Structures are given as C-alpha cells and as structure tokens.
PDB file of all heavy atoms in Angstrom:
ATOM      1  N   THR A 134       0.513  72.492  47.729  1.00 96.00           N
ATOM      2  CA  THR A 134      -0.918  72.356  47.286  1.00 96.00           C
ATOM      3  C   THR A 134      -1.265  70.897  47.388  1.00 96.00           C
ATOM      4  O   THR A 134      -0.611  70.118  47.551  1.00 96.00           O
ATOM      5  CB  THR A 134      -1.001  72.942  45.735  1.00 96.00           C
ATOM      6  OG1 THR A 134      -0.459  71.825  44.880  1.00 96.00           O
ATOM      7  CG2 THR A 134      -0.302  74.163  45.586  1.00 96.00           C
ATOM      8  N   ARG A 135      -2.687  70.761  47.167  1.00 96.00           N
ATOM      9  CA  ARG A 135      -3.005  69.359  47.060  1.00 96.00           C
ATOM     10  C   ARG A 135      -2.533  68.566  45.870  1.00 96.00           C
ATOM     11  O   ARG A 135      -2.601  67.321  45.840  1.00 96.00           O
ATOM     12  CB  ARG A 135      -4.733  69.392  47.087  1.00 96.00           C
ATOM     13  CG  ARG A 135      -5.198  69.871  45.807  1.00 96.00           C
ATOM     14  CD  ARG A 135      -6.688  69.753  45.589  1.00 96.00           C
ATOM     15  NE  ARG A 135      -7.361  70.678  46.690  1.00 96.00           N
ATOM     16  CZ  ARG A 135      -8.588  70.777  46.735  1.00 96.00           C
ATOM     17  NH1 ARG A 135      -9.502  70.167  46.026  1.00 96.00           N
ATOM     18  NH2 ARG A 135      -9.032  71.512  47.661  1.00 96.00           N
ATOM     19  N   TYR A 136      -1.993  69.174  44.912  1.00 97.00           N
ATOM     20  CA  TYR A 136      -1.457  68.586  43.618  1.00 97.00           C
ATOM     21  C   TYR A 136      -0.019  68.174  43.696  1.00 97.00           C
ATOM     22  O   TYR A 136       0.639  67.592  42.889  1.00 97.00           O
ATOM     23  CB  TYR A 136      -1.957  69.288  42.497  1.00 97.00           C
ATOM     24  CG  TYR A 136      -3.318  69.496  42.330  1.00 97.00           C
ATOM     25  CD1 TYR A 136      -3.956  70.750  42.654  1.00 97.00           C
ATOM     26  CD2 TYR A 136      -4.161  68.370  42.009  1.00 97.00           C
ATOM     27  CE1 TYR A 136      -5.245  70.853  42.507  1.00 97.00           C
ATOM     28  CE2 TYR A 136      -5.463  68.504  41.805  1.00 97.00           C
ATOM     29  CZ  TYR A 136      -6.002  69.849  42.132  1.00 97.00           C
ATOM     30  OH  TYR A 136      -7.450  70.079  42.077  1.00 97.00           O
ATOM     31  N   GLY A 137       0.724  68.859  44.717  1.00 97.00           N
ATOM     32  CA  GLY A 137       2.139  68.773  44.831  1.00 97.00           C
ATOM     33  C   GLY A 137       2.717  70.043  45.329  1.00 97.00           C
ATOM     34  O   GLY A 137       1.889  70.873  45.992  1.00 97.00           O
ATOM     35  N   VAL A 138       3.972  70.421  45.207  1.00 98.00           N
ATOM     36  CA  VAL A 138       4.639  71.530  45.689  1.00 98.00           C
ATOM     37  C   VAL A 138       4.949  72.441  44.441  1.00 98.00           C
ATOM     38  O   VAL A 138       5.633  72.002  43.429  1.00 98.00           O
ATOM     39  CB  VAL A 138       5.968  71.142  46.391  1.00 98.00           C
ATOM     40  CG1 VAL A 138       6.697  72.397  46.903  1.00 98.00           C
ATOM     41  CG2 VAL A 138       5.682  70.284  47.496  1.00 98.00           C
ATOM     42  N   LEU A 139       4.344  73.532  44.474  1.00 98.00           N
ATOM     43  CA  LEU A 139       4.517  74.547  43.436  1.00 98.00           C
ATOM     44  C   LEU A 139       5.887  75.337  43.719  1.00 98.00           C
ATOM     45  O   LEU A 139       6.028  75.916  44.814  1.00 98.00           O
ATOM     46  CB  LEU A 139       3.399  75.505  43.301  1.00 98.00           C
ATOM     47  CG  LEU A 139       3.522  76.534  42.090  1.00 98.00           C
ATOM     48  CD1 LEU A 139       3.346  75.814  40.882  1.00 98.00           C
ATOM     49  CD2 LEU A 139       2.284  77.542  42.346  1.00 98.00           C
ATOM     50  N   VAL A 140       6.766  75.460  42.747  1.00 98.00           N
ATOM     51  CA  VAL A 140       8.008  76.086  42.885  1.00 98.00           C
ATOM     52  C   VAL A 140       8.202  77.209  41.867  1.00 98.00           C
ATOM     53  O   VAL A 140       7.961  77.070  40.757  1.00 98.00           O
ATOM     54  CB  VAL A 140       9.172  74.991  42.734  1.00 98.00           C
ATOM     55  CG1 VAL A 140      10.663  75.682  42.907  1.00 98.00           C
ATOM     56  CG2 VAL A 140       9.020  73.782  43.540  1.00 98.00           C
ATOM     57  N   ARG A 141       8.578  78.362  42.410  1.00 98.00           N
ATOM     58  CA  ARG A 141       9.042  79.512  41.514  1.00 98.00           C
ATOM     59  C   ARG A 141      10.568  79.660  41.774  1.00 98.00           C
ATOM     60  O   ARG A 141      10.932  79.903  42.838  1.00 98.00           O
ATOM     61  CB  ARG A 141       8.176  80.740  41.812  1.00 98.00           C
ATOM     62  CG  ARG A 141       8.492  81.908  40.776  1.00 98.00           C
ATOM     63  CD  ARG A 141       7.522  83.003  40.938  1.00 98.00           C
ATOM     64  NE  ARG A 141       7.514  83.597  42.269  1.00 98.00           N
ATOM     65  CZ  ARG A 141       8.477  84.565  42.574  1.00 98.00           C
ATOM     66  NH1 ARG A 141       9.345  85.071  41.675  1.00 98.00           N
ATOM     67  NH2 ARG A 141       8.401  85.028  43.873  1.00 98.00           N
ATOM     68  N   GLU A 142      11.168  79.728  40.746  1.00 98.00           N
ATOM     69  CA  GLU A 142      12.694  79.971  40.772  1.00 98.00           C
ATOM     70  C   GLU A 142      12.878  81.361  40.369  1.00 98.00           C
ATOM     71  O   GLU A 142      12.179  81.885  39.660  1.00 98.00           O
ATOM     72  CB  GLU A 142      13.521  79.115  39.953  1.00 98.00           C
ATOM     73  CG  GLU A 142      13.784  77.678  40.511  1.00 98.00           C
ATOM     74  CD  GLU A 142      14.800  76.836  39.765  1.00 98.00           C
ATOM     75  OE1 GLU A 142      15.845  77.389  39.349  1.00 98.00           O
ATOM     76  OE2 GLU A 142      14.624  75.666  39.717  1.00 98.00           O
ATOM     77  N   ASP A 143      14.053  81.926  40.607  1.00 98.00           N
ATOM     78  CA  ASP A 143      14.447  83.281  40.361  1.00 98.00           C
ATOM     79  C   ASP A 143      14.536  83.361  38.749  1.00 98.00           C
ATOM     80  O   ASP A 143      15.155  82.410  38.088  1.00 98.00           O
ATOM     81  CB  ASP A 143      15.812  83.503  40.962  1.00 98.00           C
ATOM     82  CG  ASP A 143      16.210  85.117  40.752  1.00 98.00           C
ATOM     83  OD1 ASP A 143      15.501  85.757  40.022  1.00 98.00           O
ATOM     84  OD2 ASP A 143      17.309  85.374  41.262  1.00 98.00           O
ATOM     85  N   TYR A 144      13.922  84.244  38.178  1.00 97.00           N
ATOM     86  CA  TYR A 144      13.896  84.473  36.749  1.00 97.00           C
ATOM     87  C   TYR A 144      15.132  84.910  36.245  1.00 97.00           C
ATOM     88  O   TYR A 144      15.511  84.593  35.053  1.00 97.00           O
ATOM     89  CB  TYR A 144      12.737  85.300  36.248  1.00 97.00           C
ATOM     90  CG  TYR A 144      12.885  86.798  36.744  1.00 97.00           C
ATOM     91  CD1 TYR A 144      13.576  87.660  35.977  1.00 97.00           C
ATOM     92  CD2 TYR A 144      12.378  87.137  37.906  1.00 97.00           C
ATOM     93  CE1 TYR A 144      13.685  89.010  36.465  1.00 97.00           C
ATOM     94  CE2 TYR A 144      12.416  88.418  38.362  1.00 97.00           C
ATOM     95  CZ  TYR A 144      13.222  89.357  37.580  1.00 97.00           C
ATOM     96  OH  TYR A 144      13.283  90.640  38.081  1.00 97.00           O
ATOM     97  N   CYS A 145      15.920  85.671  37.007  1.00 96.00           N
ATOM     98  CA  CYS A 145      17.205  86.231  36.445  1.00 96.00           C
ATOM     99  C   CYS A 145      18.224  85.015  36.204  1.00 96.00           C
ATOM    100  O   CYS A 145      18.738  84.293  37.128  1.00 96.00           O
ATOM    101  CB  CYS A 145      17.803  87.154  37.414  1.00 96.00           C
ATOM    102  SG  CYS A 145      19.253  88.047  36.982  1.00 96.00           S
ATOM    103  N   GLY A 146      18.581  84.810  34.976  1.00 95.00           N
ATOM    104  CA  GLY A 146      19.503  83.707  34.515  1.00 95.00           C
ATOM    105  C   GLY A 146      18.850  82.447  34.233  1.00 95.00           C
ATOM    106  O   GLY A 146      19.453  81.404  33.842  1.00 95.00           O
ATOM    107  N   TYR A 147      17.475  82.325  34.357  1.00 97.00           N
ATOM    108  CA  TYR A 147      16.749  81.135  34.106  1.00 97.00           C
ATOM    109  C   TYR A 147      16.652  80.919  32.640  1.00 97.00           C
ATOM    110  O   TYR A 147      16.499  81.870  31.887  1.00 97.00           O
ATOM    111  CB  TYR A 147      15.401  81.077  34.743  1.00 97.00           C
ATOM    112  CG  TYR A 147      14.768  79.849  34.969  1.00 97.00           C
ATOM    113  CD1 TYR A 147      14.958  79.091  36.129  1.00 97.00           C
ATOM    114  CD2 TYR A 147      13.950  79.197  33.894  1.00 97.00           C
ATOM    115  CE1 TYR A 147      14.512  77.930  36.423  1.00 97.00           C
ATOM    116  CE2 TYR A 147      13.437  77.909  34.137  1.00 97.00           C
ATOM    117  CZ  TYR A 147      13.684  77.297  35.358  1.00 97.00           C
ATOM    118  OH  TYR A 147      13.191  75.922  35.561  1.00 97.00           O
ATOM    119  N   PRO A 148      16.878  79.645  32.120  1.00 97.00           N
ATOM    120  CA  PRO A 148      16.743  79.472  30.714  1.00 97.00           C
ATOM    121  C   PRO A 148      15.449  79.826  30.067  1.00 97.00           C
ATOM    122  O   PRO A 148      14.260  79.650  30.691  1.00 97.00           O
ATOM    123  CB  PRO A 148      16.933  78.010  30.475  1.00 97.00           C
ATOM    124  CG  PRO A 148      17.597  77.470  31.768  1.00 97.00           C
ATOM    125  CD  PRO A 148      17.127  78.479  32.831  1.00 97.00           C
ATOM    126  N   GLU A 149      15.309  80.590  29.039  1.00 95.00           N
ATOM    127  CA  GLU A 149      14.198  81.089  28.324  1.00 95.00           C
ATOM    128  C   GLU A 149      13.328  79.952  27.813  1.00 95.00           C
ATOM    129  O   GLU A 149      12.127  80.174  27.597  1.00 95.00           O
ATOM    130  CB  GLU A 149      14.486  82.231  27.284  1.00 95.00           C
ATOM    131  CG  GLU A 149      15.014  83.482  27.904  1.00 95.00           C
ATOM    132  CD  GLU A 149      15.118  84.584  26.849  1.00 95.00           C
ATOM    133  OE1 GLU A 149      14.777  84.255  25.586  1.00 95.00           O
ATOM    134  OE2 GLU A 149      15.728  85.538  27.111  1.00 95.00           O
ATOM    135  N   SER A 150      13.882  78.811  27.616  1.00 97.00           N
ATOM    136  CA  SER A 150      13.216  77.734  26.949  1.00 97.00           C
ATOM    137  C   SER A 150      12.223  77.062  27.910  1.00 97.00           C
ATOM    138  O   SER A 150      11.331  76.237  27.525  1.00 97.00           O
ATOM    139  CB  SER A 150      14.194  76.794  26.352  1.00 97.00           C
ATOM    140  OG  SER A 150      15.087  76.321  27.383  1.00 97.00           O
ATOM    141  N   GLU A 151      12.518  77.326  29.254  1.00 97.00           N
ATOM    142  CA  GLU A 151      11.554  76.711  30.212  1.00 97.00           C
ATOM    143  C   GLU A 151      11.020  77.756  31.171  1.00 97.00           C
ATOM    144  O   GLU A 151      11.479  78.793  31.350  1.00 97.00           O
ATOM    145  CB  GLU A 151      12.619  75.923  31.304  1.00 97.00           C
ATOM    146  CG  GLU A 151      12.826  74.384  30.863  1.00 97.00           C
ATOM    147  CD  GLU A 151      13.772  73.677  31.999  1.00 97.00           C
ATOM    148  OE1 GLU A 151      13.809  74.143  33.114  1.00 97.00           O
ATOM    149  OE2 GLU A 151      14.367  72.817  31.543  1.00 97.00           O
ATOM    150  N   SER A 152       9.709  77.226  31.550  1.00 98.00           N
ATOM    151  CA  SER A 152       9.149  77.985  32.617  1.00 98.00           C
ATOM    152  C   SER A 152       9.798  77.972  33.995  1.00 98.00           C
ATOM    153  O   SER A 152      10.173  76.871  34.410  1.00 98.00           O
ATOM    154  CB  SER A 152       7.652  77.699  32.758  1.00 98.00           C
ATOM    155  OG  SER A 152       6.979  78.401  33.867  1.00 98.00           O
ATOM    156  N   ASN A 153       9.978  79.043  34.709  1.00 98.00           N
ATOM    157  CA  ASN A 153      10.505  78.991  36.020  1.00 98.00           C
ATOM    158  C   ASN A 153       9.596  78.821  37.115  1.00 98.00           C
ATOM    159  O   ASN A 153       9.822  78.836  38.310  1.00 98.00           O
ATOM    160  CB  ASN A 153      11.300  80.413  36.336  1.00 98.00           C
ATOM    161  CG  ASN A 153      10.391  81.611  36.387  1.00 98.00           C
ATOM    162  OD1 ASN A 153       9.401  81.732  35.653  1.00 98.00           O
ATOM    163  ND2 ASN A 153      10.617  82.458  37.411  1.00 98.00           N
ATOM    164  N   LEU A 154       8.261  78.389  36.781  1.00 98.00           N
ATOM    165  CA  LEU A 154       7.259  78.070  37.676  1.00 98.00           C
ATOM    166  C   LEU A 154       6.854  76.628  37.417  1.00 98.00           C
ATOM    167  O   LEU A 154       6.444  76.285  36.227  1.00 98.00           O
ATOM    168  CB  LEU A 154       6.100  78.981  37.494  1.00 98.00           C
ATOM    169  CG  LEU A 154       4.811  78.829  38.465  1.00 98.00           C
ATOM    170  CD1 LEU A 154       5.317  79.052  39.881  1.00 98.00           C
ATOM    171  CD2 LEU A 154       3.714  79.662  38.096  1.00 98.00           C
ATOM    172  N   TYR A 155       7.018  75.760  38.429  1.00 98.00           N
ATOM    173  CA  TYR A 155       6.795  74.211  38.036  1.00 98.00           C
ATOM    174  C   TYR A 155       6.282  73.628  39.350  1.00 98.00           C
ATOM    175  O   TYR A 155       6.416  74.037  40.433  1.00 98.00           O
ATOM    176  CB  TYR A 155       7.898  73.632  37.491  1.00 98.00           C
ATOM    177  CG  TYR A 155       9.279  73.756  38.214  1.00 98.00           C
ATOM    178  CD1 TYR A 155       9.563  72.875  39.303  1.00 98.00           C
ATOM    179  CD2 TYR A 155      10.087  74.815  38.062  1.00 98.00           C
ATOM    180  CE1 TYR A 155      10.738  73.011  40.052  1.00 98.00           C
ATOM    181  CE2 TYR A 155      11.280  74.941  38.700  1.00 98.00           C
ATOM    182  CZ  TYR A 155      11.584  74.126  39.773  1.00 98.00           C
ATOM    183  OH  TYR A 155      12.817  74.203  40.427  1.00 98.00           O
ATOM    184  N   MET A 156       5.774  72.396  39.044  1.00 98.00           N
ATOM    185  CA  MET A 156       5.259  71.628  40.080  1.00 98.00           C
ATOM    186  C   MET A 156       6.114  70.308  40.252  1.00 98.00           C
ATOM    187  O   MET A 156       6.408  69.718  39.321  1.00 98.00           O
ATOM    188  CB  MET A 156       3.709  71.106  39.898  1.00 98.00           C
ATOM    189  CG  MET A 156       3.050  70.322  40.919  1.00 98.00           C
ATOM    190  SD  MET A 156       2.461  71.229  42.387  1.00 98.00           S
ATOM    191  CE  MET A 156       1.129  72.097  41.646  1.00 98.00           C
ATOM    192  N   VAL A 157       6.314  70.010  41.551  1.00 98.00           N
ATOM    193  CA  VAL A 157       7.089  68.726  41.871  1.00 98.00           C
ATOM    194  C   VAL A 157       6.300  67.918  42.872  1.00 98.00           C
ATOM    195  O   VAL A 157       5.355  68.387  43.607  1.00 98.00           O
ATOM    196  CB  VAL A 157       8.485  68.969  42.470  1.00 98.00           C
ATOM    197  CG1 VAL A 157       9.385  69.705  41.338  1.00 98.00           C
ATOM    198  CG2 VAL A 157       8.447  69.729  43.731  1.00 98.00           C
ATOM    199  N   ASP A 158       6.479  66.636  42.972  1.00 96.00           N
ATOM    200  CA  ASP A 158       5.862  65.790  44.026  1.00 96.00           C
ATOM    201  C   ASP A 158       6.653  65.824  45.265  1.00 96.00           C
ATOM    202  O   ASP A 158       7.644  66.537  45.356  1.00 96.00           O
ATOM    203  CB  ASP A 158       5.574  64.399  43.466  1.00 96.00           C
ATOM    204  CG  ASP A 158       6.838  63.563  43.222  1.00 96.00           C
ATOM    205  OD1 ASP A 158       7.885  63.866  43.666  1.00 96.00           O
ATOM    206  OD2 ASP A 158       6.718  62.485  42.440  1.00 96.00           O
ATOM    207  N   SER A 159       6.189  64.990  46.261  1.00 91.00           N
ATOM    208  CA  SER A 159       6.863  65.204  47.582  1.00 91.00           C
ATOM    209  C   SER A 159       8.226  64.561  47.554  1.00 91.00           C
ATOM    210  O   SER A 159       8.929  64.838  48.444  1.00 91.00           O
ATOM    211  CB  SER A 159       5.935  64.232  48.557  1.00 91.00           C
ATOM    212  OG  SER A 159       5.788  63.066  48.095  1.00 91.00           O
ATOM    213  N   GLN A 160       8.599  63.952  46.635  1.00 92.00           N
ATOM    214  CA  GLN A 160      10.036  63.360  46.367  1.00 92.00           C
ATOM    215  C   GLN A 160      10.961  64.278  45.511  1.00 92.00           C
ATOM    216  O   GLN A 160      12.165  64.163  45.343  1.00 92.00           O
ATOM    217  CB  GLN A 160      10.094  62.049  45.642  1.00 92.00           C
ATOM    218  CG  GLN A 160       9.640  60.907  46.681  1.00 92.00           C
ATOM    219  CD  GLN A 160       8.213  60.825  46.957  1.00 92.00           C
ATOM    220  OE1 GLN A 160       7.358  60.905  45.921  1.00 92.00           O
ATOM    221  NE2 GLN A 160       7.839  60.680  48.100  1.00 92.00           N
ATOM    222  N   GLY A 161      10.248  65.493  45.066  1.00 93.00           N
ATOM    223  CA  GLY A 161      11.009  66.394  44.197  1.00 93.00           C
ATOM    224  C   GLY A 161      11.049  65.997  42.803  1.00 93.00           C
ATOM    225  O   GLY A 161      11.723  66.795  42.006  1.00 93.00           O
ATOM    226  N   THR A 162      10.187  65.071  42.271  1.00 96.00           N
ATOM    227  CA  THR A 162      10.071  64.686  40.877  1.00 96.00           C
ATOM    228  C   THR A 162       9.284  65.768  40.180  1.00 96.00           C
ATOM    229  O   THR A 162       8.155  66.084  40.601  1.00 96.00           O
ATOM    230  CB  THR A 162       9.439  63.340  40.700  1.00 96.00           C
ATOM    231  OG1 THR A 162      10.360  62.409  41.460  1.00 96.00           O
ATOM    232  CG2 THR A 162       9.461  62.863  39.349  1.00 96.00           C
ATOM    233  N   LEU A 163       9.742  66.282  38.994  1.00 97.00           N
ATOM    234  CA  LEU A 163       9.036  67.073  38.229  1.00 97.00           C
ATOM    235  C   LEU A 163       7.728  66.711  37.583  1.00 97.00           C
ATOM    236  O   LEU A 163       7.608  65.484  37.051  1.00 97.00           O
ATOM    237  CB  LEU A 163       9.925  67.599  37.018  1.00 97.00           C
ATOM    238  CG  LEU A 163       9.321  68.725  36.111  1.00 97.00           C
ATOM    239  CD1 LEU A 163       9.060  69.985  36.796  1.00 97.00           C
ATOM    240  CD2 LEU A 163      10.040  68.857  34.865  1.00 97.00           C
ATOM    241  N   LEU A 164       6.700  67.419  37.819  1.00 98.00           N
ATOM    242  CA  LEU A 164       5.342  66.965  37.418  1.00 98.00           C
ATOM    243  C   LEU A 164       5.012  67.758  36.110  1.00 98.00           C
ATOM    244  O   LEU A 164       4.408  67.149  35.217  1.00 98.00           O
ATOM    245  CB  LEU A 164       4.258  67.185  38.411  1.00 98.00           C
ATOM    246  CG  LEU A 164       4.517  66.254  39.783  1.00 98.00           C
ATOM    247  CD1 LEU A 164       3.416  66.703  40.852  1.00 98.00           C
ATOM    248  CD2 LEU A 164       4.414  64.799  39.426  1.00 98.00           C
ATOM    249  N   TRP A 165       5.148  68.958  36.093  1.00 98.00           N
ATOM    250  CA  TRP A 165       4.939  69.840  34.988  1.00 98.00           C
ATOM    251  C   TRP A 165       5.607  71.129  35.108  1.00 98.00           C
ATOM    252  O   TRP A 165       5.976  71.575  36.289  1.00 98.00           O
ATOM    253  CB  TRP A 165       3.505  70.072  34.755  1.00 98.00           C
ATOM    254  CG  TRP A 165       2.632  70.543  35.838  1.00 98.00           C
ATOM    255  CD1 TRP A 165       1.639  69.696  36.539  1.00 98.00           C
ATOM    256  CD2 TRP A 165       2.321  71.844  36.451  1.00 98.00           C
ATOM    257  NE1 TRP A 165       0.869  70.436  37.503  1.00 98.00           N
ATOM    258  CE2 TRP A 165       1.393  71.813  37.521  1.00 98.00           C
ATOM    259  CE3 TRP A 165       3.036  72.987  36.248  1.00 98.00           C
ATOM    260  CZ2 TRP A 165       1.073  72.872  38.258  1.00 98.00           C
ATOM    261  CZ3 TRP A 165       2.672  74.097  37.009  1.00 98.00           C
ATOM    262  CH2 TRP A 165       1.721  74.136  37.962  1.00 98.00           C
ATOM    263  N   PHE A 166       5.735  71.882  34.009  1.00 98.00           N
ATOM    264  CA  PHE A 166       6.278  73.289  33.793  1.00 98.00           C
ATOM    265  C   PHE A 166       4.983  74.033  33.635  1.00 98.00           C
ATOM    266  O   PHE A 166       4.197  73.653  32.716  1.00 98.00           O
ATOM    267  CB  PHE A 166       7.178  73.500  32.748  1.00 98.00           C
ATOM    268  CG  PHE A 166       8.602  73.075  33.053  1.00 98.00           C
ATOM    269  CD1 PHE A 166       9.139  71.846  32.490  1.00 98.00           C
ATOM    270  CD2 PHE A 166       9.378  73.658  33.938  1.00 98.00           C
ATOM    271  CE1 PHE A 166      10.344  71.342  32.586  1.00 98.00           C
ATOM    272  CE2 PHE A 166      10.742  73.249  34.163  1.00 98.00           C
ATOM    273  CZ  PHE A 166      11.234  72.004  33.488  1.00 98.00           C
ATOM    274  N   SER A 167       4.800  75.266  34.194  1.00 98.00           N
ATOM    275  CA  SER A 167       3.663  76.110  33.842  1.00 98.00           C
ATOM    276  C   SER A 167       3.771  76.637  32.424  1.00 98.00           C
ATOM    277  O   SER A 167       4.872  77.072  31.974  1.00 98.00           O
ATOM    278  CB  SER A 167       3.620  77.231  34.739  1.00 98.00           C
ATOM    279  OG  SER A 167       2.636  78.248  34.499  1.00 98.00           O
ATOM    280  N   GLU A 168       2.566  76.772  31.777  1.00 98.00           N
ATOM    281  CA  GLU A 168       2.642  77.394  30.399  1.00 98.00           C
ATOM    282  C   GLU A 168       2.868  78.923  30.750  1.00 98.00           C
ATOM    283  O   GLU A 168       2.447  79.345  31.891  1.00 98.00           O
ATOM    284  CB  GLU A 168       1.283  77.179  29.718  1.00 98.00           C
ATOM    285  CG  GLU A 168       1.095  75.921  29.257  1.00 98.00           C
ATOM    286  CD  GLU A 168      -0.195  75.517  28.304  1.00 98.00           C
ATOM    287  OE1 GLU A 168      -1.230  76.299  28.713  1.00 98.00           O
ATOM    288  OE2 GLU A 168      -0.221  74.909  27.338  1.00 98.00           O
ATOM    289  N   ARG A 169       3.255  79.593  29.638  1.00 98.00           N
ATOM    290  CA  ARG A 169       3.428  81.036  29.799  1.00 98.00           C
ATOM    291  C   ARG A 169       2.696  81.537  28.680  1.00 98.00           C
ATOM    292  O   ARG A 169       2.296  81.067  27.688  1.00 98.00           O
ATOM    293  CB  ARG A 169       4.904  81.342  29.627  1.00 98.00           C
ATOM    294  CG  ARG A 169       5.850  80.675  30.629  1.00 98.00           C
ATOM    295  CD  ARG A 169       7.298  80.785  30.402  1.00 98.00           C
ATOM    296  NE  ARG A 169       7.604  79.958  29.216  1.00 98.00           N
ATOM    297  CZ  ARG A 169       8.845  79.861  28.648  1.00 98.00           C
ATOM    298  NH1 ARG A 169       9.820  80.576  29.251  1.00 98.00           N
ATOM    299  NH2 ARG A 169       9.045  79.054  27.712  1.00 98.00           N
TER     300      ARG A 169
END
C-alpha cells in the first residue's frame, strides 16, 4: 500500500494478545497492529 506493506499471518496458533494483521515499512519494521 502507499502506507507500507500490510501483512496477514495465519491465525492458527497466533497469540491472542496481538492482531495477526499488521503494517510494516519497506525494511520490515513494524508500524502498527490492526485493531480488532
């Protein structure tokens, strides 16, 4: 996207305390986790 790379990880086994949908920049640095 114009804001970075949106990533969705497999939800199976993903920690419930974090969103499995998040944005990273071009170097892979985490920008945000999506609210749920």
Side-chain angles (χ1 to χ4, degrees):
T134 76
R135 67 174 67 179
Y136 302 104
V138 180
L139 188 64
V140 179
R141 185 173 61 88
E142 283 192 35
D143 189 351
Y144 63 89
C145 188
Y147 201 89
E149 290 185 10
S150 60
E151 271 181 23
S152 175
N153 66 317
L154 184 65
Y155 54 88
M156 183 77 73
V157 297
D158 66 15
S159 59
Q160 285 76 45
T162 303
L163 179 68
L164 300 175
W165 50 254
F166 286 106
S167 176
E168 284 186 329
R169 300 171 289 176

